[in-house]
């Protein structure tokens, strides 16, 4: 009776299905359902005394025991479904006779696909000892639709094909994958993660994926790219990298919570692109990186919260640090919101072997790890320290909002081994940089002591500030506000520096062409050049400490003032070089005027300078001042005390305002480019006591 019903059912259904162009599905007793394209079925008949059903297609013939056929149905589905449960695996394979072959052993599913068109696999259910493995000749897709899968001896999903795989997280589903602590080798196949792919991986959808990686990476492409367009990902208990891509790693969207014993995102030898998404990564291992690539790292959007705490590792006398964002090439940031905390010893926030280019975005970096000494490759005692932003080449901060706080000993906020450029004519970044850690002794003693010093913003090469608002604060000894080991040029912008050591320091020259600059050094010079100082314009307010420290110090080198408003306050000053200057300046020695008004007016009562002196204790006060209104053969009056009222001021200097009260201190009539009055004077033409502290950059 079963045979008769089968024959009648097949004959009737095939006739109807041919018109609808559906598929015939053969449901077998081993929970395998095989589909065949109706148009390709040539014949269905019985054999072996009617105990065997024979299905003849254009290019294949299949035989099944009648007792193993549970049902015959028809449908239009073209998705291979794999459902895991306590009894094993149920398979529906619509392409069973067209090139998609599936082997099942227990709950291990191995797919071999030679079909010339893309195939979609849909995985669901639960298995505590299963896997899904694909060999495919063409690109394919996998939809995770509520899958919980653990493989005790290898990857949970193992894609051994040199084609692209698209993994879609079905909306509203939660998927959980785990590998085994050890992998069983399969020939020469590479297996490097809970999700392992031989080539490109693309993730899409709005579901969620939880991954545990007990042996290696969470997600790995062995020789291709990994791209995320959406989804929610939790990668915890990962033995190595969270996501490891052999070439490019691209994040366009998605939410990520990653905690690993290796790197969070690793682009390996490829580039890493972050264009969107919400990314949280904890890097806790020695020398680990939250975001890493050997090629460029490009961040154009998204929100990144990177928390690092791994220790430094010294290999072959060379330190390697736990770092939030690390590239062996360039780092380019044009957008996004980046928050970094790093408590690791010598830890770095953003670090590149090549240039760091910031053209937008909001960046907030805090490092708190201390520095330390070590023996370098030349067998010499050396030091390392933490840094918020560090480049072995150039740093270009053109736009964006950047906040850097380095708390550890000898920490650096922003440091470039070559040039540092800030802003341009059309872009004005905001930079707030602070160091709090103390310097520490590296070697030697006394005047021969070599210290590792904190530095707020420094460059080994030229530093150029074109635009922007810079607030630099160095709270401990040895920490200059802005330091260039070559030439430092200010073309514009607003610069505000509070430091213990020099406010600004340069090795060869300081040139100011414009902008507003305020410098206040509590224990050294306001502006210190080991070479020349040239001021052509802008507003410069520079306050140093007691003698021998100065408002302006350029040793015995040329100090040229050609324009702008300049006020220097300190125990002494370098005297402008008359032969090199084009604007008259005055060096005025007086008693301390801490917190008092300082007013200069011409004989007609026109205000030349309205200034509230900085509040600080000076045993004696030397004031260097100049403004475009000061010319030769004109008599001027200096008033002190009293009050200044006005609405437009910058650190005590009033662009407008009304002066009242006070007393006349003295008068002067310039007869040359430099006039010296009062109880003390500067240190001679272009001179003055040299400042500085023993130490290293």
């Amino acid at each position: 009776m079963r045979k008769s019903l089968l024959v009648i059912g097949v004959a009737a259904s095939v006739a109807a299905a041919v018109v609808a162009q559906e598929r015939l599905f053969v449901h077998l007793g081993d929970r395998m359902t095989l589909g065949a394209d109706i148009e390709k079925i040539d014949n269905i008949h019985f054999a072996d005394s009617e105990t065997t059903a024979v299905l003849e297609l254009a290019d294949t013939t299949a035989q099944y025991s009648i007792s193993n056929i549970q049902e015959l149905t028809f449908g239009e589905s073209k998705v291979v479904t794999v459902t895991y449960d306590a009894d094993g695996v149920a398979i529906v394979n619509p392409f069973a006779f067209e090139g998609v072959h599936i082997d099942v052993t227990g709950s291990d599913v191995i797919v071999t696909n030679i079909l010339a068109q893309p195939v979609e696999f849909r995985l669901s259910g639960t298995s505590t000892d299963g896997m899904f493995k694909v060999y495919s000749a063409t690109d394919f897709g996998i939809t995770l639709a509520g899958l919980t899968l653990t493989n005790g001896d290898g990857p949970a999903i193992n894609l051994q094909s040199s084609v692209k795989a698209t993994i879609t997280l079905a909306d509203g589903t939660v998927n959980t994958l785990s590998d085994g602590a050890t992998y069983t080798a399969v020939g020469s196949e590479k297996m490097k993660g809970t999700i392992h792919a031989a080539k490109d991986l693309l993730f899409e959808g709005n579901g969620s994926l939880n991954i545990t990686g007990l042996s290696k990476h969470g997600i790995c492409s062995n020789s291709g790219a990994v791209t995320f367009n959406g989804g929610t990902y939790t990668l915890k208990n990962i033995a190595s990298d969270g996501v490891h891509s052999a070439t490019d790693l691209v994040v366009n969207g998605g939410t990520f919570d990653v905690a690993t014993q290796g790197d969070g995102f690793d682009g390996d030898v490829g580039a890493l692109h972050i264009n969107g998404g919400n990314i949280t990564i904890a890097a806790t291992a020695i020398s680990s990186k939250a975001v890493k690539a050997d090629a460029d790292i490009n961040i154009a959007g998204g929100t990144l919260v990177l928390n690092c705490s791994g220790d430094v590792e010294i290999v072959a006398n060379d330190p390697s640090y736990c770092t939030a964002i690390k590239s062996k090439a360039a780092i380019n940031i044009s957008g996004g919101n980046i928050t970094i905390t790093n408590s690791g010893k010598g830890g770095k926030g953003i670090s590149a072997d090549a240039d760091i280019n910031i053209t937008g975005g909001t960046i907030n970096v805090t490092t708190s790890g201390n520095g330390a000494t070590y023996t370098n490759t030349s067998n010499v005692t050396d030091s390392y320290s933490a840094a918020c932003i560090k480049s072995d080449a150039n740093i270009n901060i053109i736009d964006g909002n950047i906040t850097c706080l380095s708390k550890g000993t000898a920490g650096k906020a922003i440091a470039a081994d070559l040039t540092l450029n800030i802003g341009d004519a059309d872009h004005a970044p905001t930079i707030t940089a602070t160091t709090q850690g103390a310097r520490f002794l590296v070697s030697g003693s006394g005047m021969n002591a070599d210290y590792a010093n904190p530095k707020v913003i420094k460059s080994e090469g030229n530093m150029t500030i074109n635009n922007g608002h810079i607030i630099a604060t160095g709270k401990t000894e040895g920490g200059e506000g802005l330091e260039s080991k070559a030439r430092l040029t200010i073309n514009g912008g607003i610069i505000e520096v509070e430091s213990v050591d020099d406010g600004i320091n340069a090795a060869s020259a300081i040139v100011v062409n414009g902008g507003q600059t305020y410098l206040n050094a509590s224990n050294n010079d306001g502006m210190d050049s080991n070479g020349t100082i040239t001021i052509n314009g802008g507003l410069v307010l520079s306050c140093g400490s007691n003698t021998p420290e100065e408002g302006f110090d350029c040793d015995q080198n040329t100090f040229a003032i050609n324009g702008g408003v300049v006020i220097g306050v300190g125990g002494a000053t370098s005297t402008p070089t008359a032969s090199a200057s084009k604007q008259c300046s005055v060096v005025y020695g007086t008693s301390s005027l801490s917190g008092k008004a300082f007013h200069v007016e011409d004989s007609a009562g026109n205000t030349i300078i309205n200034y509230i002196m900085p509040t600080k204790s000076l045993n004696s006060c030397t004031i260097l001042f100049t403004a475009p209104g000061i010319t030769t053969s004109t008599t001027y009056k200096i008033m002190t005390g009293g009050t200044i009222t006005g609405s437009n001021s910058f650190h005590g200097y009033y662009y407008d305002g009304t002066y009242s009260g006070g007393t006349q201190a003295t008068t002067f009539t310039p007869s040359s480019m430099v006039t010296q009055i009062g109880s003390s004077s500067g240190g001679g033409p272009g001179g003055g006591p040299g400042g500085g502290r023993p130490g290293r950059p």
Side-chain angles (χ1 to χ4, degrees):
M1 183 66 175
R2 177 183 174 88
K3 292 185 290 184
S4 299
L5 290 175
L6 176 64
V7 173
I8 294 170
V10 170
S13 299
V14 167
V18 168
V19 177
Q21 295 184 344
E22 295 178 342
R23 291 179 177 269
L24 169 67
F25 288 96
V26 181
H27 301 265
L28 302 177
D30 57 2
R31 305 183 73 195
M32 180 76 73
T33 298
L34 309 177
D37 188 341
I38 293 296
E39 291 187 343
K40 296 181 180 180
I41 299 176
D42 291 334
N43 186 23
I44 301 176
H45 64 274
F46 296 111
D48 298 331
S49 301
E50 299 186 353
T51 61
T52 301
V54 180
L55 181 62
E56 294 184 353
L57 292 93
D59 52 5
T60 188
T61 299
Q63 298 184 4
Y64 304 98
S65 171
I66 293 297
S67 62
N68 193 39
I69 298 176
Q70 303 296 307
E71 186 180 11
L72 295 175
T73 62
F74 294 86
E76 298 181 356
S77 173
K78 295 184 180 180
V79 176
V80 179
T81 63
V82 180
T83 305
Y84 295 85
D85 58 29
D87 296 324
V89 185
I91 306 287
V92 177
N93 180 7
F95 306 102
F97 304 102
E98 298 171 50
V100 178
H101 180 74
I102 301 178
D103 287 319
V104 178
T105 303
S107 293
D108 291 349
V109 178
I110 300 177
V111 177
T112 302
N113 173 39
I114 61 171
L115 194 61
Q117 69 188 50
V119 177
E120 180 69 27
F121 301 89
R122 186 177 182 88
L123 279 57
S124 61
T126 300
S127 176
T128 58
D129 185 18
M131 71 165 184
F132 183 74
K133 186 175 186 178
V134 178
Y135 301 96
S136 180
T138 54
D139 294 351
F140 60 93
I142 298 173
T143 297
L144 304 184
L147 175 68
T148 299
L149 186 60
T150 297
N151 183 14
D153 57 3
I157 296 179
N158 189 355
L159 311 177
Q160 291 287 334
S161 305
S162 296
V163 296
K164 182 175 76 173
T166 299
I167 297 179
T168 301
L169 307 180
D171 291 359
T173 65
V174 177
N175 304 277
T176 302
L177 304 176
S178 179
D179 65 352
T182 59
Y183 288 3
T184 300
V186 180
S188 60
E189 291 182 359
K190 303 293 185 182
M191 294 180 288
K192 297 183 178 180
T194 303
I195 296 180
H196 172 89
K199 198 63 176 175
D200 296 344
L201 269 174
L202 171 63
F203 288 86
E204 296 183 331
N206 296 314
S208 63
L209 176 58
N210 305 316
I211 294 180
T212 298
L214 300 179
S215 177
K216 299 187 180 182
H217 308 308
I219 297 170
C220 176
S221 169
N222 188 56
S223 62
V226 178
T227 301
F228 296 92
N229 288 333
T232 299
Y233 304 85
T234 301
L235 292 88
K236 298 292 181 69
N237 299 320
I238 308 296
S240 189
D241 302 339
V243 180
H244 184 98
S245 175
T247 58
D248 289 358
L249 198 164
V250 182
V251 180
N252 295 317
T255 299
F256 301 84
D257 186 2
V258 182
T260 76
Q261 289 302 308
D263 303 324
F265 285 175
D266 188 349
D268 202 15
V269 299
L272 198 154
H273 307 269
I274 298 176
N275 301 312
N278 294 282
I279 301 166
T280 300
I281 299 176
T284 60
I286 293 174
S287 185
S288 61
K289 315 295 188 281
V291 175
K292 170 184 173 292
D294 289 356
D296 290 357
I297 294 177
N298 304 298
I299 301 175
T303 298
L304 288 79
V305 178
L306 311 177
N307 302 305
C308 304
S309 58
D311 203 353
V312 65
E313 181 179 25
I314 299 178
V315 179
N317 299 90
D318 187 21
S320 178
Y321 315 100
C322 182
T323 305
I325 302 174
K326 170 63 179 180
S327 172
K328 291 185 178 180
I331 295 175
N332 306 299
I333 301 174
S334 59
N337 192 319
I338 302 170
T339 301
I340 295 170
T341 58
N342 193 335
S343 60
K345 185 182 292 185
K348 306 294 187 287
I350 300 172
S351 176
D353 292 357
D355 292 356
I356 295 176
N357 302 300
I358 301 174
T359 58
T362 298
I363 302 170
N364 192 319
V365 184
T366 300
T367 61
S368 57
N370 288 329
T373 61
Y374 71 103
T375 301
N376 64 24
T377 54
S378 299
N379 202 34
V380 174
T381 301
D382 206 339
S383 67
Y384 60 79
S385 58
C388 296
I389 300 176
K390 170 68 170 66
S391 169
D392 292 349
N394 307 292
I395 296 178
N396 302 298
I397 303 176
I398 306 304
D399 209 347
N401 192 323
I402 296 95
T403 302
C404 296
L405 170 60
S406 186
K407 298 179 179 180
T409 54
K412 315 295 189 287
I414 300 173
D417 283 357
L418 296 178
T419 67
L420 173 59
N421 302 292
I422 299 175
D424 62 21
D426 301 316
H427 301 92
T430 299
I431 301 173
T432 303
T434 305
T435 58
Q436 294 180 347
R439 66 179 186 173
F440 62 85
L441 180 66
V442 177
S443 61
S445 61
M447 293 302 295
N448 295 318
D450 181 17
Y451 287 92
N453 290 308
K455 304 291 180 181
V456 184
I457 300 175
K458 72 171 285 287
S459 63
E460 294 294 326
N462 293 336
M463 182 185 301
T464 303
I465 300 169
N466 297 304
N467 205 344
H469 189 177
I470 302 170
I471 302 173
T473 306
K475 295 190 175 182
T476 55
E477 177 69 17
E480 285 93 353
L482 308 179
E483 181 187 28
S484 166
K485 292 299 183 180
R487 180 186 184 93
L488 195 155
T489 302
I490 299 172
N491 293 318
I494 300 172
I495 301 168
E496 301 172 274
V497 178
E498 296 277 355
S499 62
V500 175
D501 215 312
D502 299 333
I504 287 179
N505 179 280
S508 63
I510 295 174
V511 178
V512 181
N513 295 315
Q516 301 176 87
T517 301
Y518 164 76
L519 313 172
N520 187 4
S522 64
N523 198 38
N524 214 322
D525 302 319
M527 180 180 288
D528 182 0
S529 173
N530 296 333
T532 62
I533 295 177
T534 303
I535 300 176
N536 296 316
L539 171 64
V540 182
L541 309 175
S542 180
C543 184
S545 185
N546 279 303
T547 305
E549 313 305 349
E550 305 170 296
F552 294 93
D553 179 9
C554 63
D555 300 327
Q556 301 298 320
N557 301 302
T558 300
F559 182 8
I561 297 180
N562 299 316
V565 175
V566 179
I567 303 175
V569 179
T573 186
S574 286
T575 302
T577 307
S579 61
S581 299
K582 298 178 181 178
Q583 180 170 293
C584 292
S585 59
V586 180
V587 177
Y588 174 42
T590 183
S591 58
S592 176
L593 296 175
S594 176
K596 295 183 178 180
F598 178 80
H599 172 79
V600 180
E601 63 181 49
D602 63 17
S603 56
N606 299 309
T607 296
I608 305 299
I609 292 175
N610 267 340
Y611 181 55
I612 302 295
M613 285 286 177
T615 302
K616 64 190 316 178
S617 177
L618 295 175
N619 297 329
S620 62
C621 183
T622 298
I623 305 169
L624 167 66
F625 64 92
T626 180
I630 299 177
T631 60
T632 58
S633 303
T634 301
T635 299
Y636 300 88
K637 181 190 302 183
I638 296 177
M639 306 287 292
T640 59
T643 59
I644 302 172
T645 57
S647 58
N648 186 10
S649 65
F650 177 74
H651 287 279
Y653 177 82
Y654 284 79
Y655 288 95
D656 57 13
T658 301
Y659 177 77
S660 61
T663 59
Q664 179 175 313
T666 189
T667 62
F668 65 93
T669 304
S671 59
S672 63
M673 281 295 168
V674 180
T675 301
Q676 296 191 6
I677 58 175
S679 58
S680 64
S681 66
R693 294 287 185 272
R696 60 179 54 207

